[in-house]
Amino acid sequence: MSSRGLWADVALRAAWARQDWAAILREYRRAAGLSQRGLEPLVGMPQPHISAIESGRRQVTTAEVRARITEGLRVPPELTLIPARPDLDDWAPPTELRDRIAHGHATGRTDLRTAEWIGEVLAQHRRDEDQARGLELWPVVRAQLDSVTLLLPGTTGPAADRLLLLAAEHAHWLSWVAAQQNRRGIALAWIDLAHGWAVDGGHTDMASWVHRIRSYYSLRHGDPVRALRTAEAGRLAVGLSPAAASVATHQVATAAAALGERDRARRLAHEAVDLALQNTDEEERPGWLYWLTPTRAMLQLADTAYSCQDWQVAVDGIRAALPELVGYPRDHAYYQARLEDAARRT
């Protein structure tokens, strides 16, 4: 595997975000399958020094050693944008992001290989975020967004639209992590940016998905009326792919159930499953809906049954789908709790 390919590893990128030099060396060796001696020619240090850093007996304090490791391990440019000590109290979107986006249709051509690489890495973050913790990866994704938006002023046409979608995906990810940290205002600020960029780039599926996320936030904070209104706006978007229409329809069903509209919720939940089954091939779905397998679609049906207090239907559906969630600890714990609760109520 190339050095750049190694840096798609989430644990390695998270170690870099922490500026934990001992972990950086260990995680790089793990990803590359190298011994400490195998690392010697890359970082220009003898094995005893590498061992001392990894064990914590020696600290990396000089710019010279940091530069040697950075250059030797070929750290991707977007990661070097991360400050040496990231300030996680600075969560809000900075104004320069909007300035870069505003110039996104200037005349010019941009080499999109960097964007394609960052898109691949973001896809890996989505899949591994449950294990690696979003908070730890926040500075990484924030730096990736900088790299994407810096490409925009020199880009035009379809290439600019592709970059706007990638920027929207990053903003959505940042919003989701901020929401998990109970920073509601910041989460809304990022999701608003994601929606604007998705609309500017003509990406209907992403714009609808952002409505779905806003609806989820409203439900989470006890406002089902707003949640239903927002979810319906996402569902009514013209030109949705079947997968995007499925998750939008499921969100309307969830909000309707919260308002006591149970018959409507049940009908929409089945419609959502039918839509999901039209896109069973992952390649046919938007990247952020990689998880919408047929089993997951049936799990969403069971989730709506739970919301409608159809306890036995919920028990049967969740129990059948739970084995697929073994690799997703957070989701598994959530649905396990719902299964136990529904079983008690049954």
Side-chain angles (χ1 to χ4, degrees):
M1 183 183 295
S2 68
S3 179
R4 190 177 196 183
L6 292 174
W7 282 97
D9 185 89
V10 172
L12 178 56
R13 292 174 80 87
W16 179 268
R18 299 193 306 271
Q19 292 290 278
D20 183 341
W21 296 96
I24 290 168
L25 296 180
R26 283 197 303 270
E27 297 295 351
Y28 187 94
R29 289 197 304 103
R30 173 192 56 77
L34 292 175
S35 65
Q36 290 180 346
R37 290 205 178 278
L39 205 60
E40 285 181 340
L42 298 181
V43 297
M45 288 187 288
Q47 183 272 331
H49 287 190
I50 295 172
S51 176
I53 292 172
E54 290 190 8
S55 66
R57 291 179 286 109
R58 179 180 178 182
Q59 301 299 313
V60 176
T61 58
T62 68
E64 178 188 355
V65 175
R66 289 196 294 267
R68 191 184 305 166
I69 295 174
T70 301
E71 294 169 8
L73 302 186
R74 297 188 179 182
V75 179
E78 75 273 6
L79 292 185
T80 61
L81 293 172
I82 299 175
R85 295 183 181 275
D87 183 3
L88 289 182
D89 289 329
D90 185 18
W91 287 75
T95 55
E96 65 262 24
L97 287 178
R98 296 177 185 269
D99 291 337
R100 295 172 196 161
I101 297 292
H103 293 88
H105 289 275
T107 301
R109 298 184 63 184
T110 295
D111 186 340
L112 293 182
R113 284 178 295 183
T114 296
E116 290 168 357
W117 154 252
I118 291 174
E120 292 173 10
V121 172
L122 181 62
Q124 190 65 40
H125 287 343
R126 288 195 199 101
R127 296 172 185 270
D128 291 351
E129 185 264 332
D130 199 42
Q131 289 83 14
R133 301 194 306 272
L135 182 61
E136 194 171 23
L137 290 170
W138 173 280
V140 174
V141 177
R142 179 65 188 79
Q144 290 173 193
L145 177 57
D146 268 332
S147 293
V148 171
T149 56
L150 283 168
L151 294 172
L152 272 159
T155 314
T156 188
D161 292 340
R162 285 176 58 195
L163 290 175
L164 283 167
L165 176 60
L166 188 54
E169 291 183 64
H170 277 77
H172 156 257
W173 192 97
L174 293 167
S175 171
W176 186 251
V177 174
Q180 290 173 341
Q181 299 300 314
N182 294 316
R183 294 177 177 262
R184 188 183 180 196
I186 298 300
L188 290 173
W190 281 110
I191 209 67
D192 284 348
L193 282 182
H195 183 260
W197 295 344
V199 171
D200 285 352
H203 301 290
T204 307
D205 281 356
M206 173 53 74
S208 173
W209 173 252
V210 167
H211 279 304
R212 184 262 183 193
I213 296 298
R214 286 198 64 119
S215 173
Y216 170 81
Y217 291 165
S218 294
L219 268 183
R220 181 179 174 183
H221 291 279
D223 192 346
V225 173
R226 179 176 295 179
L228 180 59
R229 186 165 59 236
T230 307
E232 286 176 330
R235 179 172 175 254
L236 294 176
V238 177
L240 292 179
S241 68
S246 173
V247 292
T249 301
H250 173 257
Q251 187 61 30
V252 176
T254 301
L259 285 170
E261 300 179 16
R262 295 179 183 172
D263 288 341
R264 183 187 181 198
R266 295 182 186 106
R267 174 177 56 80
L268 289 173
H270 284 281
E271 183 180 327
V273 172
D274 292 341
L275 287 164
L277 294 179
Q278 294 180 34
N279 274 164
T280 56
D281 186 347
E282 184 177 333
E283 297 300 319
E284 297 176 350
R285 301 193 293 271
W288 57 93
L289 296 181
Y290 70 91
W291 50 269
L292 190 59
T293 63
T295 302
R296 283 277 192 155
M298 297 305 297
L299 183 60
Q300 289 194 334
L301 184 65
D303 200 38
T304 303
Y306 180 95
S307 298
C308 291
Q309 301 181 14
D310 299 334
W311 305 120
Q312 189 59 55
V313 176
V315 166
D316 294 342
I318 296 174
R319 182 173 289 146
L322 209 56
E324 185 169 306
L325 301 182
V326 171
Y328 302 88
R330 188 165 51 210
D331 289 352
H332 190 279
Y334 172 82
Y335 282 107
Q336 180 68 47
R338 286 212 148 187
L339 172 62
E340 293 170 0
D341 184 57
R344 282 195 299 270
R345 293 173 185 272
T346 300

